[in-house]
Structure formats: C-alpha cells, structure tokens
Amino acid sequence: MQLLTWTPIIFSRKGFLRDENGKPFLPKNVFEEAITSAVIFYYTKKDKEIENRIKKYLTTKGLKLKEIAKDVKNIVLKKYPVLDNLKLPEKIYLPEDKIKEEYIEVFDLKEKIDVKGFRTEVFKGTLELEVESPYWEKLKAACHSFAEALARMEKELLEDHPLAEIFYESLLNDLKKWEVPLRLGMWTEVHFKGDLLFFWKIKEVRNFLIKELGIDIRPRYVLYLPKERVTTGWCELKNS
C-alpha cells in the first residue's frame, strides 16, 4: 500500500527515531495507535451497549489515569476484535531527503491563543508499506468515521481562527474521497489524544473526569505549521 502524507507528520519534539545506522523511521505503534483510536470511536458510536458501558466506566469513582485508555480499548475489542491479525512493519523507514526541520505553532483551543511553539523534524512524502488485515473494510469505515469527526471537532473549536476556513473546510471535503484516512504521529499535546473523542460533548462524562482526575478529554491543543497553514498528521493509506 501507499501512505500519502497530505500534511507533515511529527513524531516528537525531539524529531524522529533512528536505527543503529542512523536511518529515520516511524515505529509500528504510530499506526496502531491511530487505527485503535478510530476503532474505539467507531464502535462506541455504532453500538449503544458499548457506549453505555464506557460511559458508566468513565463516571466511576476511583478511576486511574494510566488504566483508562487500556480499559476502554478492552471493552471495545472484546466485542469487536477487528485489530486481530493486523500486520504492519515494525519500522517504517523515511527517506532522509524528505525530512525537514520546521517551526510548529501550538494553538490552545480553550483559550483561543497561540502558545509557545517549537522546532522539530517533519516528514512529508509518499511511502510504500505492507499492511494486512482480515477486517480491512471495517477498519476503513472506522478510520473514515473518526477522521471526519476529529476534523469537524477541531474546526468547531477553532471558531474564527483562520485555519477553520483556510484549511478545515477543504479538508472535510477531501477526507470523504480518501481511501483510508489516518491521523498519524504527534498532532496534539494531551493525554488521550482522540481515544475518548466520542464523549467530548457529553457533559456528564467530561465534568466527572475534570472533577475526578483534573483532565479534559477533548484535545486542547492543535499543532500546525504557520508556513503551510495546515495542522499535522493528516494522511491517507491507499492501494498502490
């Protein structure tokens, strides 16, 4: 398959990982995390029983921050084991000539201000990689549902920020045409990224977690390249 990076990928503030020979790569878990977030969102939205179980769990006293993502994932995948036998390369190598250092701005969606940005490595280009799954059509549907919901949420929270119109309006149209949309790498700086996206508008859950754990489950920050006027990590997997 081909991976098309429609907007640059960031791995971390320190840049990309490199192997013993100094070759830059993305680890397999970058893809696994993106697909898992999509699956959690999709089946929570699709299955009322799953939604109610997760909602009950997220409003239970004594929650432990480190266990939430794992427990929610288990609730979904026990009933819908669609990540079973998903095969990806351990390391996805990146061509060095497509890696650049860029300035990344951090926009606070709550306060509606740019906060201090940083410089780091970004990758934009096309990669060949082998991906196999017996549940490919289900994963494809999940990735579409999640990516479109995430883009709509960010556009809504950006309000009158120029990115809302300049970037997100066209992105929302484009996503519908992509074969398998993915949000890869570092695109926000919050604990859950998009794992609990379904619940961000459910006041009861959000307020409980703010009170119980002192965290807000909606992504608070988006990372964007002011030079290109895009947010990071929007990619497409498609058959070569």
Side-chain angles (χ1 to χ4, degrees):
M1 298 194 82
Q2 277 191 329
L3 176 73
L4 309 177
T5 58
W6 291 103
T7 70
I9 296 176
I10 302 173
F11 178 71
S12 74
R13 284 177 175 252
K14 295 180 180 179
F16 293 102
L17 296 175
R18 281 171 166 77
D19 68 8
E20 62 276 8
N21 297 313
K23 294 182 178 180
F25 68 90
L26 288 170
K28 178 170 74 171
N29 71 293
V30 167
F31 291 81
E32 290 175 332
E33 287 174 5
I35 295 170
T36 300
S37 292
V39 166
I40 290 169
F41 175 84
Y42 180 68
Y43 284 105
T44 303
K45 179 182 176 183
K46 190 179 174 70
D47 188 323
K48 199 70 179 175
E49 181 201 0
I50 292 287
E51 177 191 341
N52 289 334
R53 284 182 63 193
I54 296 175
K55 185 176 178 180
K56 183 178 179 182
Y57 167 76
L58 292 176
T59 52
T60 302
K61 288 280 186 182
L63 280 177
K64 294 181 180 178
L65 186 62
K66 289 183 179 179
E67 295 176 1
I68 291 176
K70 180 185 71 175
D71 289 345
V72 169
K73 177 181 173 181
N74 288 340
I75 289 170
V76 174
L77 295 183
K78 188 173 182 181
K79 188 170 183 179
Y80 298 102
V82 295
L83 295 183
D84 287 1
N85 298 311
L86 173 64
K87 295 180 181 178
L88 289 157
E90 289 296 325
K91 297 176 182 177
I92 295 92
Y93 283 95
L94 308 173
E96 190 82 59
D97 62 341
K98 298 293 184 181
I99 294 175
K100 298 178 181 178
E101 188 175 289
E102 297 284 1
Y103 180 74
I104 309 300
E105 191 64 78
V106 183
F107 185 75
D108 186 328
L109 292 165
K110 183 178 179 182
E111 301 297 333
K112 304 292 184 289
I113 57 170
D114 291 326
V115 296
K116 190 175 181 181
F118 57 94
R119 293 191 69 82
T120 191
E121 290 180 323
V122 305
F123 167 76
K124 188 177 180 184
T126 303
L127 299 173
E128 295 287 338
L129 70 156
E130 292 185 17
V131 185
E132 293 180 25
S133 170
Y135 304 103
W136 191 245
E137 289 304 312
K138 290 182 172 66
L139 297 181
K140 183 177 176 180
C143 289
H144 266 282
S145 181
F146 177 69
E148 290 170 31
L150 190 59
R152 282 193 298 271
M153 183 210 72
E154 290 179 17
K155 182 178 184 295
E156 184 178 328
L157 292 176
L158 280 165
E159 293 181 343
D160 58 355
H161 190 283
L163 277 178
E165 183 178 349
I166 293 168
F167 176 63
Y168 279 91
E169 284 192 11
S170 59
L171 175 67
L172 282 163
N173 289 325
D174 292 341
L175 283 171
K176 294 177 174 62
K177 304 167 193 170
W178 295 359
E179 192 168 333
V180 184
L182 291 175
R183 192 78 181 279
L184 293 178
M186 182 180 173
W187 52 269
T188 185
E189 292 191 304
V190 290
H191 188 80
F192 293 113
K193 291 191 175 180
D195 283 352
L196 301 180
L197 181 70
F198 180 86
F199 296 95
W200 81 273
K201 277 191 174 180
I202 300 178
K203 204 169 184 179
E204 175 191 354
V205 175
R206 282 188 59 221
N207 288 348
F208 182 87
L209 290 173
I210 289 169
K211 185 178 178 181
E212 184 78 2
L213 298 175
I215 57 167
D216 193 335
I217 57 177
R218 66 182 174 186
R220 176 167 176 175
Y221 304 100
V222 289
L223 308 182
Y224 73 96
L225 283 79
K227 186 174 170 182
E228 295 188 35
R229 294 184 171 184
V230 299
T231 50
T232 61
W234 295 102
C235 302
E236 177 189 5
L237 265 180
K238 64 184 299 184
N239 284 309
S240 301

